[in-house]
Amino acid sequence: MREEGDREVRLIRLLKRSEGFVSGEELKQGLGITRSAVWKHIEALRASGYAIDAAPRKGYRLDTAMLPFNGVELASRAAPGAIGARVRFFKEIDSTNTEAFTLGRMGEPEGTVVVAERQRAGKGRIGRSWESPPGVNLYTSILLRPAVLPMDAQKLTLLIAVAVAETVSGFLGCRPSVKWPNDILVGPRKLAGILLEMECEADRVKFVVVGIGVNLNMKRNLLGEPLSSVVTSIMEETGKEVSRVEFATELYSSVRKWYDLATKSGFDAEGFAPVIEAWRGYFASEGKPVRVRSFGRTIEGVCEGIDPDGALLVRSPSGERLRVISGDVEPA
Ligand code: BTN
């Protein structure tokens, strides 16, 4: 993030610490800048959506009931070095994943997040697109640099699904389900999608971009048919508007919690077991007939869950146990 951005994050933290006015002098001292620089940053923050009162001889007061959805607000809520402490925020972008991928190649550190109000060309799994209307949902990509082998990256897919499902549960008031590998559903309708893209060498992952799209306040019919009958949002389910800043903050902290757990053990089977267990708690297809499309083939059978590496297990009608590592599953 730009230096000015860092100062604005610190300024917002100082204003939030006090319920009343904070003097210009205190802000000047706290940030180590001149009074006119303080004023310049206050103006920039107002322009980005903050409501900040200014009163002679009193200083500045932030209206904490009206906090905007922007990069400064997101970064101000993250601990230093945590996921979301460095934010690249865009009013409009082609795809947050594409931007995060470019940043990954440029050496941006792990934990940087890209967020957009709207995506012009949001990407979904398997070459699909992701509808990204402005102002209502969350479109974010997280840059990670896990020390794992390329073949272990599939595990990360499940880990992110657990973090998204956990965060959604908190706002929904009940548990969503996960469709293998990582669609988040409420009943039959899709609420969130996850797209992992990575840059690898033969035996090493250089970085992973975790793209997450969550329908928060979108009205289903905004998308028109046929999509409107297969998607939902948290607001459609609960009738209540969700704060995008709060949702994103909880999401980053949940990703960090599960990621730290798995990284500590180098993603080995033992360290990853809690992730698999949590994922199974959201999985609704075990024991049910499924149809899987994978690499141009269609497989039908009974779903027997996932193995410790996150591959889907399907028992075919002839009794053979198939292991699927990539594809799309639906009830048969
Ligand atoms: C899917 O279910 O097909 C995956 C959808 C992933 C959408 C998110 S929105 C933020 C990030 N940027 C993108 O272009 N795609 C992901």
Side-chain angles (χ1 to χ4, degrees), residues 95-97 119 121-125 130 139-141 183 190 193-195 211-213:
S95 153
T96 55
N97 261 36
Q119 295 183 115
K123 297 190 284 186
R125 285 179 61 236
W130 185 258
Y139 317 114
T140 186
S141 300
D183 281 356
K190 184 153 165 173
I194 299 162
L195 173 67
I212 305 170

mmCIF file of all heavy atoms in Angstrom, residues 95-97 119 121-125 130 139-141 183 190 193-195 211-213, ligand 1:
data_model
loop_
_atom_site.group_PDB
_atom_site.id
_atom_site.type_symbol
_atom_site.label_atom_id
_atom_site.label_comp_id
_atom_site.label_asym_id
_atom_site.label_seq_id
_atom_site.Cartn_x
_atom_site.Cartn_y
_atom_site.Cartn_z
ATOM 1 N N SER A 95 -10.782 -8.255 -13.021
ATOM 2 C CA SER A 95 -10.912 -9.391 -12.104
ATOM 3 C C SER A 95 -9.897 -9.202 -10.975
ATOM 4 O O SER A 95 -8.716 -8.951 -11.242
ATOM 5 C CB SER A 95 -10.625 -10.687 -12.865
ATOM 6 O OG SER A 95 -10.143 -11.684 -11.992
ATOM 7 N N THR A 96 -10.343 -9.346 -9.746
ATOM 8 C CA THR A 96 -9.402 -9.204 -8.621
ATOM 9 C C THR A 96 -8.354 -10.318 -8.680
ATOM 10 O O THR A 96 -7.225 -10.133 -8.254
ATOM 11 C CB THR A 96 -10.142 -9.254 -7.260
ATOM 12 O OG1 THR A 96 -10.904 -10.460 -7.192
ATOM 13 C CG2 THR A 96 -11.046 -8.051 -7.057
ATOM 14 N N ASN A 97 -8.735 -11.495 -9.226
ATOM 15 C CA ASN A 97 -7.755 -12.586 -9.337
ATOM 16 C C ASN A 97 -6.626 -12.212 -10.297
ATOM 17 O O ASN A 97 -5.454 -12.469 -10.013
ATOM 18 C CB ASN A 97 -8.434 -13.863 -9.845
ATOM 19 C CG ASN A 97 -8.767 -14.812 -8.717
ATOM 20 O OD1 ASN A 97 -9.125 -14.374 -7.631
ATOM 21 N ND2 ASN A 97 -8.654 -16.103 -8.963
ATOM 22 N N GLN A 119 -16.596 -6.100 -10.710
ATOM 23 C CA GLN A 119 -15.657 -6.696 -11.662
ATOM 24 C C GLN A 119 -16.306 -6.684 -13.047
ATOM 25 O O GLN A 119 -17.466 -7.053 -13.197
ATOM 26 C CB GLN A 119 -15.335 -8.133 -11.282
ATOM 27 C CG GLN A 119 -14.604 -8.276 -9.954
ATOM 28 C CD GLN A 119 -14.240 -9.726 -9.671
ATOM 29 O OE1 GLN A 119 -13.082 -10.085 -9.623
ATOM 30 N NE2 GLN A 119 -15.244 -10.572 -9.502
ATOM 31 N N ALA A 121 -14.993 -8.431 -15.589
ATOM 32 C CA ALA A 121 -14.800 -9.760 -16.175
ATOM 33 C C ALA A 121 -14.434 -10.748 -15.067
ATOM 34 O O ALA A 121 -13.381 -11.383 -15.108
ATOM 35 C CB ALA A 121 -13.703 -9.694 -17.235
ATOM 36 N N GLY A 122 -15.327 -10.845 -14.073
ATOM 37 C CA GLY A 122 -15.089 -11.768 -12.949
ATOM 38 C C GLY A 122 -14.986 -13.200 -13.481
ATOM 39 O O GLY A 122 -15.756 -13.604 -14.352
ATOM 40 N N LYS A 123 -14.010 -13.943 -12.936
ATOM 41 C CA LYS A 123 -13.765 -15.295 -13.451
ATOM 42 C C LYS A 123 -14.323 -16.343 -12.497
ATOM 43 O O LYS A 123 -14.144 -16.248 -11.286
ATOM 44 C CB LYS A 123 -12.247 -15.531 -13.585
ATOM 45 C CG LYS A 123 -11.592 -14.609 -14.590
ATOM 46 C CD LYS A 123 -10.172 -15.030 -14.881
ATOM 47 C CE LYS A 123 -9.234 -14.661 -13.758
ATOM 48 N NZ LYS A 123 -7.819 -14.936 -14.063
ATOM 49 N N GLY A 124 -14.974 -17.367 -13.070
ATOM 50 C CA GLY A 124 -15.438 -18.496 -12.267
ATOM 51 C C GLY A 124 -14.587 -19.715 -12.566
ATOM 52 O O GLY A 124 -13.641 -19.647 -13.360
ATOM 53 N N ARG A 125 -14.927 -20.838 -11.940
ATOM 54 C CA ARG A 125 -14.173 -22.072 -12.189
ATOM 55 C C ARG A 125 -14.467 -22.598 -13.587
ATOM 56 O O ARG A 125 -15.500 -22.286 -14.172
ATOM 57 C CB ARG A 125 -14.574 -23.150 -11.163
ATOM 58 C CG ARG A 125 -13.993 -22.916 -9.786
ATOM 59 C CD ARG A 125 -14.453 -24.011 -8.827
ATOM 60 N NE ARG A 125 -14.015 -25.324 -9.258
ATOM 61 C CZ ARG A 125 -14.834 -26.362 -9.484
ATOM 62 N NH1 ARG A 125 -16.126 -26.234 -9.341
ATOM 63 N NH2 ARG A 125 -14.338 -27.516 -9.855
ATOM 64 N N TRP A 130 -18.060 -14.901 -13.566
ATOM 65 C CA TRP A 130 -18.679 -14.664 -12.247
ATOM 66 C C TRP A 130 -19.340 -13.294 -12.286
ATOM 67 O O TRP A 130 -18.667 -12.277 -12.440
ATOM 68 C CB TRP A 130 -17.631 -14.725 -11.146
ATOM 69 C CG TRP A 130 -18.204 -14.618 -9.754
ATOM 70 C CD1 TRP A 130 -18.200 -13.519 -8.960
ATOM 71 C CD2 TRP A 130 -18.875 -15.655 -9.020
ATOM 72 N NE1 TRP A 130 -18.827 -13.808 -7.769
ATOM 73 C CE2 TRP A 130 -19.250 -15.108 -7.774
ATOM 74 C CE3 TRP A 130 -19.205 -16.993 -9.297
ATOM 75 C CZ2 TRP A 130 -19.924 -15.849 -6.805
ATOM 76 C CZ3 TRP A 130 -19.877 -17.732 -8.314
ATOM 77 C CH2 TRP A 130 -20.222 -17.147 -7.098
ATOM 78 N N TYR A 139 -16.113 -9.197 -3.624
ATOM 79 C CA TYR A 139 -15.230 -9.807 -4.622
ATOM 80 C C TYR A 139 -13.811 -9.555 -4.142
ATOM 81 O O TYR A 139 -13.369 -8.400 -4.097
ATOM 82 C CB TYR A 139 -15.408 -9.163 -6.011
ATOM 83 C CG TYR A 139 -16.864 -8.928 -6.363
ATOM 84 C CD1 TYR A 139 -17.371 -7.631 -6.510
ATOM 85 C CD2 TYR A 139 -17.730 -10.007 -6.523
ATOM 86 C CE1 TYR A 139 -18.709 -7.421 -6.790
ATOM 87 C CE2 TYR A 139 -19.068 -9.797 -6.809
ATOM 88 C CZ TYR A 139 -19.555 -8.506 -6.935
ATOM 89 O OH TYR A 139 -20.880 -8.302 -7.198
ATOM 90 N N THR A 140 -13.135 -10.610 -3.736
ATOM 91 C CA THR A 140 -11.805 -10.406 -3.175
ATOM 92 C C THR A 140 -10.857 -11.536 -3.569
ATOM 93 O O THR A 140 -11.300 -12.661 -3.827
ATOM 94 C CB THR A 140 -11.880 -10.286 -1.631
ATOM 95 O OG1 THR A 140 -10.583 -9.949 -1.123
ATOM 96 C CG2 THR A 140 -12.327 -11.574 -0.973
ATOM 97 N N SER A 141 -9.578 -11.215 -3.623
ATOM 98 C CA SER A 141 -8.555 -12.228 -3.889
ATOM 99 C C SER A 141 -7.446 -12.061 -2.859
ATOM 100 O O SER A 141 -7.031 -10.945 -2.557
ATOM 101 C CB SER A 141 -7.967 -12.051 -5.289
ATOM 102 O OG SER A 141 -8.988 -12.181 -6.251
ATOM 103 N N ASP A 183 -17.989 -25.010 -3.687
ATOM 104 C CA ASP A 183 -19.139 -24.105 -3.838
ATOM 105 C C ASP A 183 -19.847 -24.041 -2.496
ATOM 106 O O ASP A 183 -20.017 -25.075 -1.834
ATOM 107 C CB ASP A 183 -20.144 -24.671 -4.847
ATOM 108 C CG ASP A 183 -19.702 -24.446 -6.278
ATOM 109 O OD1 ASP A 183 -18.667 -23.792 -6.477
ATOM 110 O OD2 ASP A 183 -20.402 -24.932 -7.178
ATOM 111 N N LYS A 190 -26.621 -21.284 -4.963
ATOM 112 C CA LYS A 190 -25.214 -20.951 -4.715
ATOM 113 C C LYS A 190 -25.087 -19.565 -4.076
ATOM 114 O O LYS A 190 -25.645 -18.590 -4.560
ATOM 115 C CB LYS A 190 -24.462 -20.992 -6.041
ATOM 116 C CG LYS A 190 -22.973 -20.759 -5.898
ATOM 117 C CD LYS A 190 -22.228 -21.427 -7.015
ATOM 118 C CE LYS A 190 -20.805 -20.946 -7.128
ATOM 119 N NZ LYS A 190 -20.020 -21.694 -8.087
ATOM 120 N N GLY A 193 -18.564 -18.597 -4.315
ATOM 121 C CA GLY A 193 -17.699 -19.441 -5.142
ATOM 122 C C GLY A 193 -16.241 -19.088 -4.880
ATOM 123 O O GLY A 193 -15.913 -17.964 -4.459
ATOM 124 N N ILE A 194 -15.384 -20.056 -5.118
ATOM 125 C CA ILE A 194 -13.954 -19.891 -4.830
ATOM 126 C C ILE A 194 -13.156 -20.326 -6.055
ATOM 127 O O ILE A 194 -13.428 -21.389 -6.622
ATOM 128 C CB ILE A 194 -13.564 -20.762 -3.605
ATOM 129 C CG1 ILE A 194 -14.364 -20.323 -2.366
ATOM 130 C CG2 ILE A 194 -12.066 -20.685 -3.332
ATOM 131 C CD1 ILE A 194 -14.383 -21.336 -1.254
ATOM 132 N N LEU A 195 -12.199 -19.507 -6.451
ATOM 133 C CA LEU A 195 -11.357 -19.856 -7.600
ATOM 134 C C LEU A 195 -9.898 -19.700 -7.215
ATOM 135 O O LEU A 195 -9.435 -18.598 -6.936
ATOM 136 C CB LEU A 195 -11.681 -18.927 -8.781
ATOM 137 C CG LEU A 195 -10.770 -19.059 -10.003
ATOM 138 C CD1 LEU A 195 -10.947 -20.413 -10.674
ATOM 139 C CD2 LEU A 195 -11.048 -17.949 -11.010
ATOM 140 N N GLY A 211 -9.342 -16.565 -4.991
ATOM 141 C CA GLY A 211 -10.418 -15.632 -5.351
ATOM 142 C C GLY A 211 -11.717 -16.079 -4.706
ATOM 143 O O GLY A 211 -12.098 -17.253 -4.794
ATOM 144 N N ILE A 212 -12.372 -15.153 -4.034
ATOM 145 C CA ILE A 212 -13.618 -15.494 -3.326
ATOM 146 C C ILE A 212 -14.703 -14.488 -3.718
ATOM 147 O O ILE A 212 -14.509 -13.275 -3.604
ATOM 148 C CB ILE A 212 -13.419 -15.454 -1.788
ATOM 149 C CG1 ILE A 212 -12.246 -16.364 -1.376
ATOM 150 C CG2 ILE A 212 -14.700 -15.864 -1.067
ATOM 151 C CD1 ILE A 212 -11.820 -16.207 0.079
ATOM 152 N N GLY A 213 -15.821 -15.000 -4.159
ATOM 153 C CA GLY A 213 -16.978 -14.138 -4.447
ATOM 154 C C GLY A 213 -18.121 -14.576 -3.545
ATOM 155 O O GLY A 213 -18.475 -15.765 -3.532
HETATM 156 C C1 BTN B 1 -16.829 -20.320 -9.075
HETATM 157 O O1 BTN B 1 -17.625 -20.776 -8.243
HETATM 158 O O2 BTN B 1 -16.944 -20.569 -10.275
HETATM 159 C C2 BTN B 1 -15.705 -19.454 -8.579
HETATM 160 C C3 BTN B 1 -16.077 -18.007 -8.532
HETATM 161 C C4 BTN B 1 -14.995 -17.109 -7.980
HETATM 162 C C5 BTN B 1 -15.362 -15.646 -8.071
HETATM 163 C C6 BTN B 1 -14.358 -14.751 -7.399
HETATM 164 S S1 BTN B 1 -14.916 -13.088 -7.270
HETATM 165 C C7 BTN B 1 -13.329 -12.560 -6.773
HETATM 166 C C8 BTN B 1 -12.333 -13.349 -7.583
HETATM 167 N N1 BTN B 1 -12.045 -12.671 -8.834
HETATM 168 C C9 BTN B 1 -12.469 -13.360 -9.890
HETATM 169 O O3 BTN B 1 -12.357 -13.003 -11.074
HETATM 170 N N2 BTN B 1 -13.040 -14.506 -9.485
HETATM 171 C C10 BTN B 1 -12.987 -14.659 -8.047
#
